[in-house]
Amino acid sequence: MRKLEILCGRGCKDLTQLPDSIGRLTSLVDLVLDSASKSKLPDSIGSLVKLRHLSLKNCESLRELPDYIGHMSSLTELNLSDTKVRRLPSSVGNLSNLEVLNIDGSLLEEFPVTLWMLDNLEKVNASKCKELKGSTPDELQRLSSLKLLTLNHTQVDSHPTSIGGLSHLQSLDLTGCKRLQTLPELPDSLICMRVTCKSMVSFPSLSRLTNLRELCFSKCYKLEQVPPEIGKLFKLEKLVISKLRISTLPEEIGALSQLKELSVQDCIEVVCLPVLPAGLYKLNVSDCYSFQTLPDLSNLKKLSELRLCECFELKEVPGLGDLLFLAKLEIISCPMLANLDGLEKLEFLRFLTISKCESIERLPDLSKLRKLPSLHASDCQNLVEVPGLESLDGLESLYMQYSTSLGKLPKLSNVKLLYLAWCKKLHDLSELEELESLELLNLAGCKAIRRLPNLSNLQRLRALEVQGCENLLEIPGLEELKSLRTLNISDCPWLQNIPSPPNVTVTR
């Protein structure tokens, strides 16, 4: 066993302690004891001088490490995620080859002063260490190799100005740090920065951060504007603004030629957006209750995803028809939006959701959207017509539940899943007879239906749900459905003499 290099005891719940003899495995390089039940490690573990990787993830009974861990001079990665460890022994300062420290989800209260002596340390992940408080110490600047610092959802409240001296720092995550009040000047090496700062009244200086590719600001409730200097972040690819008190974004954002993804979320005072950069791939405007005006989107020739959710004042989507490479469109809870002119031109669309848009009565002719496999048009209370669906040979799923004004089933071709539940005015289902590909039909709560057409052609139908169809009198052809496995006819008081075919689960 002295030549053993890898020992894995992952998931050994009955492993409550390691024997002292573990120290004799002097050739061990990789020791994985994730999710074991041990409460402590033996001092002899310090004899594993060749060990490079020690993982104790999810060892929920582990509360401390022995001082002898500092003897493991070859250790490059230490994983203490989701343990009960509250402090690290000062001897960790002797782990001169340590590159990665994962202690996320633990009970860590503070970093030992000796940690900042580790010149080779590249990654520190203390995410969700809810007992970690106060300021990170000035000695942080000694970590000259540090590339990633993750302190999200901790109680850290400030950072020293010395953080600007971390010349190799690429990623800084301070999301969910509710006590954070200010940010000092940050190193220009940063590529990714995520920040939550409830008390921050102004943005930190962005002018030096010319290497930033991802910038996320959330729950900075006192911030009322994004500084124009954001337009100087020419390498920025992703920008997320969430829960800020801004009314718009600066016009300079249009100069961000590398920006691929823009998300504006929960900014309840935002009213409009400026002209957006032409290279944008994804645009998300969600939960912006005062939002009224989109810019003309016709310049966004590369846009592949557009999401507009809970924009209660939005009335139009200008330039929609010019988004020729749009693959995913979601419009949810935009009650003032009455039309979607241009939708009929989006031939590359593969995902379409139009939901809770009360003012929409008719969708454009969708006959050219031949790549569309699924259409969600639910909860549109005034929607009465969706033309062109019969031309969509690839359309397999149609969701139109709670479209309470829909009276007639649209013409369809190869649909397999059809959800029309609670379409209270739906009564004309004459097109249903020809849907030989149909596998699931949900008509629950469609109270205007008195008779279904003859279903005998629907030989692939496996599930039929008509519960709550209070006026339904009969289901012709039911006995001929050889593939049927589930039938729900509960709360259909006028249905009489419905058979219970073998292999069919009937709910009455």
Side-chain angles (χ1 to χ4, degrees):
M1 296 286 283
R2 291 183 182 274
K3 294 184 179 180
L4 188 68
E5 295 185 357
I6 299 175
L7 176 59
C8 181
R10 182 184 290 115
C12 295
K13 297 290 186 180
D14 295 330
L15 183 61
T16 57
Q17 63 180 14
L18 286 178
D20 288 337
S21 58
I22 188 78
R24 299 174 186 172
L25 304 180
T26 53
S27 296
L28 207 60
V29 174
D30 199 334
L31 177 57
V32 179
L33 299 171
D34 298 351
S35 301
S37 298
K38 59 196 170 303
S39 58
K40 63 179 182 179
L41 299 176
D43 292 345
S44 62
I45 200 168
S47 300
L48 305 180
V49 292
K50 293 185 179 181
L51 196 70
R52 294 177 56 83
H53 176 210
L54 175 59
S55 183
L56 303 166
K57 183 178 180 180
N58 286 319
C59 292
E60 297 179 354
S61 299
L62 185 65
R63 299 181 180 277
E64 61 182 6
L65 297 179
D67 286 337
Y68 289 92
I69 199 168
H71 294 177
M72 301 164 68
S73 56
S74 298
L75 200 65
T76 61
E77 183 172 351
L78 176 59
N79 192 333
L80 300 169
S81 302
D82 298 306
T83 63
K84 294 294 192 296
V85 171
R86 290 185 175 273
R87 57 174 291 275
L88 296 176
S90 59
S91 62
V92 297
N94 297 325
L95 303 177
S96 57
N97 287 300
L98 194 66
E99 298 176 357
V100 178
L101 174 61
N102 286 317
I103 197 162
D104 50 302
S106 73
L107 299 180
L108 186 72
E109 296 176 351
E110 62 179 0
F111 291 113
V113 175
T114 53
L115 183 69
W116 316 118
M117 299 167 56
L118 303 179
D119 294 339
N120 290 309
L121 194 60
E122 296 182 359
K123 298 180 181 180
V124 175
N125 181 3
S127 169
K128 299 180 181 179
C129 291
K130 296 181 180 180
E131 302 300 319
L132 188 60
K133 304 175 183 178
S135 173
T136 50
D138 282 332
E139 290 81 5
L140 178 67
Q141 64 178 319
R142 296 181 184 175
L143 300 181
S144 56
S145 299
L146 194 65
K147 295 180 180 179
L148 183 147
L149 179 59
T150 304
L151 298 171
N152 60 296
H153 297 94
T154 65
Q155 298 193 57
V156 170
D157 57 25
S158 63
H159 296 278
T161 55
S162 60
I163 196 173
L166 296 176
S167 59
H168 290 91
L169 190 64
Q170 297 179 358
S171 178
L172 176 63
D173 193 342
L174 303 171
T175 308
C177 295
K178 297 178 180 180
R179 297 190 177 187
L180 189 64
Q181 298 181 4
T182 60
L183 279 178
E185 191 167 281
L186 299 170
D188 57 13
S189 56
L190 272 179
I191 293 175
C192 174
M193 181 168 70
R194 303 186 184 100
V195 178
T196 294
C197 193
K198 286 188 173 182
S199 301
M200 185 185 295
V201 295
S202 62
F203 260 81
S205 175
L206 300 177
S207 58
R208 295 180 66 238
L209 307 182
T210 54
N211 289 303
L212 266 184
R213 295 178 186 172
E214 179 178 342
L215 177 61
C216 303
F217 268 84
S218 64
K219 296 183 181 180
C220 301
Y221 297 121
K222 295 185 178 181
L223 291 181
E224 297 184 0
Q225 66 174 359
V226 178
E229 63 183 6
I230 197 171
K232 298 179 181 179
L233 306 181
F234 297 119
K235 295 182 180 180
L236 197 64
E237 297 178 2
K238 180 179 180 179
L239 175 61
V240 177
I241 302 293
S242 176
K243 295 187 178 181
L244 272 62
R245 292 183 57 194
I246 59 173
S247 59
T248 187
L249 293 176
E251 293 182 0
E252 286 80 2
I253 198 173
L256 300 178
S257 60
Q258 299 301 310
L259 193 65
K260 303 294 189 295
E261 183 174 347
L262 172 62
S263 185
V264 182
Q265 307 169 21
D266 291 295
C267 297
I268 60 175
E269 297 183 19
V270 72
V271 175
C272 62
L273 292 179
V275 174
L276 300 175
L280 211 58
Y281 284 8
K282 297 181 181 180
L283 174 60
N284 174 25
V285 184
S286 299
D287 304 302
C288 297
Y289 306 142
S290 302
F291 190 75
Q292 299 177 8
T293 309
L294 279 169
D296 188 341
L297 304 181
S298 59
N299 66 315
L300 306 183
K301 305 298 184 184
K302 298 180 180 179
L303 197 69
S304 64
E305 295 186 18
L306 174 60
R307 187 173 195 266
L308 304 169
C309 179
E310 297 198 1
C311 300
F312 294 152
E313 304 295 325
L314 183 66
K315 295 182 179 180
E316 62 175 336
V317 186
L320 179 63
D322 293 308
L323 307 179
L324 300 182
F325 291 98
L326 197 67
K328 184 175 183 178
L329 175 61
E330 292 181 272
I331 302 180
I332 302 171
S333 295
C334 297
M336 301 291 289
L337 188 65
N339 68 75
L340 289 171
D341 292 343
L343 178 61
E344 69 278 3
K345 299 178 182 179
L346 307 183
E347 299 182 15
F348 284 88
L349 209 59
R350 294 182 177 273
F351 187 98
L352 176 59
T353 295
I354 310 293
S355 178
K356 298 182 180 179
C357 295
E358 300 171 5
S359 297
I360 293 180
E361 298 180 3
R362 184 181 188 275
L363 290 180
D365 187 332
L366 303 183
S367 58
K368 292 184 179 180
L369 278 57
R370 296 183 177 275
K371 296 183 181 292
L372 194 67
S374 177
L375 170 60
H376 294 248
S378 59
D379 261 321
C380 295
Q381 296 180 6
N382 292 301
L383 182 64
V384 296
E385 187 177 7
V386 186
L389 293 184
E390 70 275 10
S391 299
L392 305 184
D393 295 335
L395 187 68
E396 296 187 348
S397 304
L398 177 61
Y399 301 81
M400 295 189 68
Q401 56 267 41
Y402 294 98
S403 295
T404 53
S405 296
L406 186 70
K408 181 178 181 179
L409 178 67
K411 288 186 177 182
L412 301 167
S413 54
N414 295 319
V415 167
K416 296 180 180 179
L417 308 178
L418 182 56
Y419 291 84
L420 298 168
W422 303 102
C423 293
K424 295 182 179 180
K425 293 185 179 180
L426 182 65
H427 64 278
D428 186 349
L429 294 167
S430 54
E431 301 295 336
L432 198 57
E433 292 185 10
E434 307 302 323
L435 293 182
E436 297 182 5
S437 59
L438 198 62
E439 297 178 6
L440 182 150
L441 175 60
N442 189 332
L443 297 170
C446 294
K447 298 181 180 182
I449 298 176
R450 296 179 63 84
R451 287 180 176 84
L452 292 181
N454 193 310
L455 304 183
S456 58
N457 286 337
L458 310 187
Q459 289 302 310
R460 297 183 183 180
L461 192 67
R462 298 180 61 83
L464 174 60
E465 301 185 25
V466 293
Q467 67 268 30
C469 293
E470 297 176 354
N471 295 299
L472 184 62
L473 300 174
E474 60 178 328
I475 309 176
L478 179 64
E479 65 280 359
E480 299 182 41
L481 302 180
K482 306 303 182 185
S483 297
L484 193 66
R485 294 293 178 267
T486 302
L487 173 63
N488 192 332
I489 55 173
S490 59
D491 298 318
C492 297
W494 297 103
L495 273 181
Q496 303 293 330
N497 301 319
I498 296 295
S500 298
N503 301 320
V504 178
T505 301
V506 181
T507 303
R508 298 179 183 271

Short mmCIF file of all heavy atoms in Angstrom, two decimals, residues 10 79 90 93 98 109 115 133 202 236 238 242 248 350 361 401-402 433 455 471:
data_model
loop_
_atom_site.label_atom_id
_atom_site.label_comp_id
_atom_site.label_asym_id
_atom_site.label_seq_id
_atom_site.Cartn_x
_atom_site.Cartn_y
_atom_site.Cartn_z
N ARG A 10 -15.22 8.44 -1.52
CA ARG A 10 -16.38 9.32 -1.71
C ARG A 10 -17.68 8.60 -1.34
O ARG A 10 -17.94 7.48 -1.76
CB ARG A 10 -16.44 9.79 -3.15
CG ARG A 10 -17.60 10.74 -3.45
CD ARG A 10 -17.66 11.12 -4.92
NE ARG A 10 -16.55 11.98 -5.30
CZ ARG A 10 -15.59 11.64 -6.15
NH1 ARG A 10 -15.59 10.42 -6.70
NH2 ARG A 10 -14.64 12.49 -6.48
N ASN A 79 -10.12 21.18 -0.78
CA ASN A 79 -11.56 21.38 -0.92
C ASN A 79 -12.26 21.08 0.41
O ASN A 79 -12.31 19.93 0.84
CB ASN A 79 -12.13 20.49 -2.03
CG ASN A 79 -13.55 20.89 -2.41
OD1 ASN A 79 -14.30 21.43 -1.61
ND2 ASN A 79 -13.93 20.59 -3.65
N SER A 90 -3.35 28.15 11.43
CA SER A 90 -2.35 29.09 10.90
C SER A 90 -1.31 28.38 10.06
O SER A 90 -0.66 28.99 9.20
CB SER A 90 -1.68 29.85 12.05
OG SER A 90 -1.05 28.93 12.95
N GLY A 93 -0.43 28.51 6.15
CA GLY A 93 0.55 29.41 5.55
C GLY A 93 1.80 28.71 5.06
O GLY A 93 2.60 29.28 4.32
N LEU A 98 0.07 25.60 -2.63
CA LEU A 98 -1.39 25.62 -2.75
C LEU A 98 -1.82 26.62 -3.83
O LEU A 98 -1.43 27.78 -3.81
CB LEU A 98 -2.03 25.99 -1.42
CG LEU A 98 -3.53 25.71 -1.31
CD1 LEU A 98 -3.81 24.21 -1.38
CD2 LEU A 98 -4.13 26.31 -0.05
N GLU A 109 -15.32 31.76 9.63
CA GLU A 109 -15.59 33.07 10.21
C GLU A 109 -14.58 34.12 9.78
O GLU A 109 -14.91 35.31 9.70
CB GLU A 109 -15.62 32.97 11.73
CG GLU A 109 -16.74 32.07 12.24
CD GLU A 109 -16.70 31.90 13.75
OE1 GLU A 109 -15.70 32.34 14.37
OE2 GLU A 109 -17.66 31.34 14.31
N LEU A 115 -2.72 32.98 5.54
CA LEU A 115 -3.18 32.61 4.20
C LEU A 115 -2.58 33.51 3.14
O LEU A 115 -2.29 33.09 2.01
CB LEU A 115 -4.71 32.68 4.14
CG LEU A 115 -5.35 32.25 2.82
CD1 LEU A 115 -5.18 30.74 2.62
CD2 LEU A 115 -6.82 32.62 2.80
N LYS A 133 -17.31 37.65 7.98
CA LYS A 133 -17.72 39.03 8.20
C LYS A 133 -16.55 40.00 8.08
O LYS A 133 -15.39 39.60 8.01
CB LYS A 133 -18.35 39.17 9.58
CG LYS A 133 -19.53 38.26 9.86
CD LYS A 133 -20.00 38.37 11.29
CE LYS A 133 -21.13 37.40 11.58
NZ LYS A 133 -21.57 37.47 13.01
N SER A 202 -22.76 55.38 -5.67
CA SER A 202 -22.20 55.66 -6.99
C SER A 202 -21.38 54.47 -7.46
O SER A 202 -20.86 53.70 -6.64
CB SER A 202 -21.31 56.91 -6.96
OG SER A 202 -20.20 56.71 -6.09
N LEU A 236 -16.18 44.40 -23.31
CA LEU A 236 -17.32 43.87 -22.57
C LEU A 236 -18.22 43.04 -23.47
O LEU A 236 -18.65 43.48 -24.54
CB LEU A 236 -18.12 45.01 -21.94
CG LEU A 236 -19.09 44.63 -20.83
CD1 LEU A 236 -18.32 44.07 -19.63
CD2 LEU A 236 -19.93 45.83 -20.40
N LYS A 238 -20.75 40.75 -21.78
CA LYS A 238 -22.00 40.48 -21.05
C LYS A 238 -22.21 41.56 -20.00
O LYS A 238 -21.33 41.84 -19.20
CB LYS A 238 -21.93 39.09 -20.39
CG LYS A 238 -23.19 38.73 -19.60
CD LYS A 238 -23.07 37.33 -19.00
CE LYS A 238 -24.31 36.96 -18.21
NZ LYS A 238 -24.23 35.59 -17.64
N SER A 242 -29.43 44.58 -12.56
CA SER A 242 -30.60 44.04 -11.87
C SER A 242 -30.90 44.83 -10.60
O SER A 242 -30.00 45.07 -9.79
CB SER A 242 -30.37 42.56 -11.53
OG SER A 242 -31.43 42.04 -10.78
N THR A 248 -32.86 54.59 -17.43
CA THR A 248 -32.39 54.14 -18.73
C THR A 248 -30.91 53.77 -18.60
O THR A 248 -30.33 53.85 -17.52
CB THR A 248 -32.59 55.22 -19.81
OG1 THR A 248 -32.27 54.67 -21.10
CG2 THR A 248 -31.72 56.43 -19.55
N ARG A 350 -37.07 29.09 -33.53
CA ARG A 350 -37.20 27.71 -33.05
C ARG A 350 -37.94 27.61 -31.71
O ARG A 350 -38.30 26.52 -31.29
CB ARG A 350 -35.81 27.06 -32.91
CG ARG A 350 -35.10 26.88 -34.24
CD ARG A 350 -33.75 26.20 -34.04
NE ARG A 350 -33.08 25.97 -35.31
CZ ARG A 350 -33.26 24.90 -36.08
NH1 ARG A 350 -34.10 23.97 -35.68
NH2 ARG A 350 -32.61 24.75 -37.20
N GLU A 361 -55.04 40.08 -30.12
CA GLU A 361 -56.23 39.37 -30.59
C GLU A 361 -55.91 38.41 -31.73
O GLU A 361 -56.58 37.40 -31.91
CB GLU A 361 -57.29 40.37 -31.06
CG GLU A 361 -57.78 41.29 -29.94
CD GLU A 361 -58.83 42.28 -30.44
OE1 GLU A 361 -59.22 42.20 -31.64
OE2 GLU A 361 -59.27 43.13 -29.64
N GLN A 401 -53.48 26.94 -23.65
CA GLN A 401 -54.38 26.90 -22.50
C GLN A 401 -54.68 28.32 -22.00
O GLN A 401 -53.87 29.22 -22.12
CB GLN A 401 -53.82 26.04 -21.38
CG GLN A 401 -52.44 26.43 -20.87
CD GLN A 401 -51.33 25.69 -21.58
OE1 GLN A 401 -51.36 25.48 -22.78
NE2 GLN A 401 -50.32 25.29 -20.80
N TYR A 402 -55.87 28.49 -21.45
CA TYR A 402 -56.34 29.77 -20.90
C TYR A 402 -56.45 30.87 -21.96
O TYR A 402 -56.46 32.05 -21.61
CB TYR A 402 -55.43 30.24 -19.76
CG TYR A 402 -55.49 29.35 -18.54
CD1 TYR A 402 -54.51 28.39 -18.33
CD2 TYR A 402 -56.53 29.45 -17.63
CE1 TYR A 402 -54.56 27.55 -17.22
CE2 TYR A 402 -56.59 28.62 -16.52
CZ TYR A 402 -55.61 27.66 -16.33
OH TYR A 402 -55.68 26.84 -15.23
N GLU A 433 -60.26 15.85 -36.24
CA GLU A 433 -60.39 14.53 -36.86
C GLU A 433 -59.18 14.13 -37.70
O GLU A 433 -58.87 12.95 -37.84
CB GLU A 433 -61.64 14.48 -37.74
CG GLU A 433 -62.94 14.56 -36.97
CD GLU A 433 -64.13 14.40 -37.89
OE1 GLU A 433 -63.93 14.05 -39.07
OE2 GLU A 433 -65.27 14.62 -37.44
N LEU A 455 -63.06 10.57 -33.09
CA LEU A 455 -61.62 10.47 -32.81
C LEU A 455 -60.99 9.19 -33.34
O LEU A 455 -59.82 8.91 -33.06
CB LEU A 455 -61.39 10.55 -31.29
CG LEU A 455 -61.93 11.78 -30.56
CD1 LEU A 455 -61.54 11.71 -29.08
CD2 LEU A 455 -61.42 13.07 -31.18
N ASN A 471 -70.30 20.44 -20.14
CA ASN A 471 -71.40 20.25 -21.08
C ASN A 471 -71.12 19.18 -22.13
O ASN A 471 -71.90 19.02 -23.08
CB ASN A 471 -71.73 21.58 -21.77
CG ASN A 471 -72.26 22.62 -20.79
OD1 ASN A 471 -73.29 22.40 -20.17
ND2 ASN A 471 -71.52 23.72 -20.64
#
